[in-house]
Amino acid sequence: MKKVFKFIKIGIYLIALGAFIILIIGAFNVNPPKEYCELLWNDKLISVYENDPESFRVYYLSEYEKNYSSEDGKFSFCKVRCIEAAQQWQITVICNDSTVRDLGEKIGSKLSSDKENFTFVLKDQDGNIYSEYDYIYTHEKRHGFRRLVFDGIPRNSVSKLSLCIYYTGDIQNGSLPAKPFVTLSVFNSDLTKKNYLEDDAKHPPKEKTVFMHHDKLSEGTK
């Protein structure tokens, strides 16, 4: 009888462990909605395309086609696109609801969602920051999804790009705090840019995307 109870306990443990593993795998392999996997056409990109459609090129990084998570698992990103002629980079960022909950507990404040609580900044190898961007946002399956569109990134002088994520409440008078909440390395010169030839990059869509916009912050940090 003791052996039976022992096997039952082991079975319950294995089932619980399997369920936990499935949840963890699901958290790190969540797929963004279709629009967040495609090239987004803002006014700058449309203008560059219309000026010279024959030489219009979009590049992607194969290493980041699937979700790439920060070491602490707070954020992940994917679908990085570089359009050199437009001096533009596009990145999809994913935030788990648990990240918002943990941050709220840390600062002693209940945060409703990730939508208004994080600010995104690209930083290059020389410390130059790019804090103005267009974006779209949605929330589903316990995750917040953003597709960020950064313009004005020099086409030939960038050898490294990091996406610095700040808690918006730490930004005072447009000045960034010294340390980001999370930093993600989204590009370095060891990665190879490959031609992106999917249909969404061949020409602008008939209907324009409705973007939200984040204004440029003050240069430098506190």
Side-chain angles (χ1 to χ4, degrees), residues 34-36 47-48 100 130 147 151:
K34 184 175 183 290
E35 188 178 9
Y36 293 74
S47 176
V48 169
V100 182
Y130 310 92
R147 185 76 172 153
D151 287 312

Side-chain angles (χ1 to χ4, degrees), residues 15-216:
I15 291 171
L17 179 62
F20 176 75
I21 291 173
I22 290 172
L23 285 172
I24 292 296
I25 292 174
F28 283 95
N29 287 280
V30 60
N31 293 317
K34 184 175 183 290
E35 188 178 9
Y36 293 74
C37 299
E38 297 179 339
L39 190 73
L40 295 184
W41 294 77
N42 65 357
D43 289 341
K44 174 64 180 296
L45 194 61
I46 292 172
S47 176
V48 169
Y49 172 84
E50 291 178 344
N51 185 56
D52 189 4
E54 294 303 319
S55 61
F56 185 83
R57 297 288 184 276
V58 179
Y59 300 95
Y60 76 102
L61 306 174
S62 59
E63 293 86 350
Y64 297 147
E65 278 302 279
K66 296 184 178 179
N67 297 351
Y68 188 90
S69 178
S70 58
E71 291 183 1
D72 54 16
K74 288 184 171 69
F75 285 86
S76 60
F77 72 96
C78 61
K79 310 300 180 185
V80 178
R81 304 287 181 260
C82 171
I83 309 92
E84 292 183 347
Q87 298 187 338
Q88 185 180 104
W89 286 76
Q90 299 190 12
I91 306 161
T92 290
V93 182
I94 306 165
C95 176
N96 193 299
D97 284 355
S98 63
T99 298
V100 182
R101 184 174 60 250
D102 292 346
L103 174 61
E105 291 175 356
K106 182 179 179 180
I107 64 176
S109 177
K110 188 176 181 180
L111 303 177
S112 57
S113 75
D114 67 303
K115 185 175 182 180
E116 305 296 338
N117 287 301
F118 296 106
T119 298
F120 301 83
V121 174
L122 274 183
K123 182 180 289 187
D124 68 18
Q125 72 283 352
D126 297 320
N128 299 310
I129 66 170
Y130 310 92
S131 56
E132 184 175 9
Y133 52 89
D134 293 323
Y135 69 102
I136 58 173
Y137 173 88
T138 193
H139 183 277
E140 57 182 63
K141 299 178 182 177
R142 300 188 299 276
H143 291 81
F145 299 92
R146 281 179 183 79
R147 185 76 172 153
L148 307 174
V149 180
F150 289 90
D151 287 312
I153 315 294
R155 61 185 298 176
N156 296 320
S157 61
V158 170
S159 60
K160 181 180 179 181
L161 283 174
S162 298
L163 183 67
C164 301
I165 304 172
Y166 296 87
Y167 167 51
T168 303
D170 286 339
I171 300 173
Q172 303 296 325
N173 299 318
S175 182
L176 295 168
K179 186 177 180 181
F181 181 62
V182 171
T183 300
L184 299 166
S185 176
V186 297
F187 173 71
N188 65 70
S189 55
D190 292 331
L191 301 175
T192 302
K193 299 174 187 174
K194 299 180 179 180
N195 281 322
Y196 180 72
L197 303 174
E198 300 298 323
D199 289 343
D200 54 288
K202 291 180 179 178
H203 53 76
K206 292 181 179 179
E207 294 186 12
K208 279 192 173 184
T209 300
V210 178
F211 289 96
M212 289 172 276
H213 183 78
H214 185 274
D215 291 328
K216 183 179 181 180

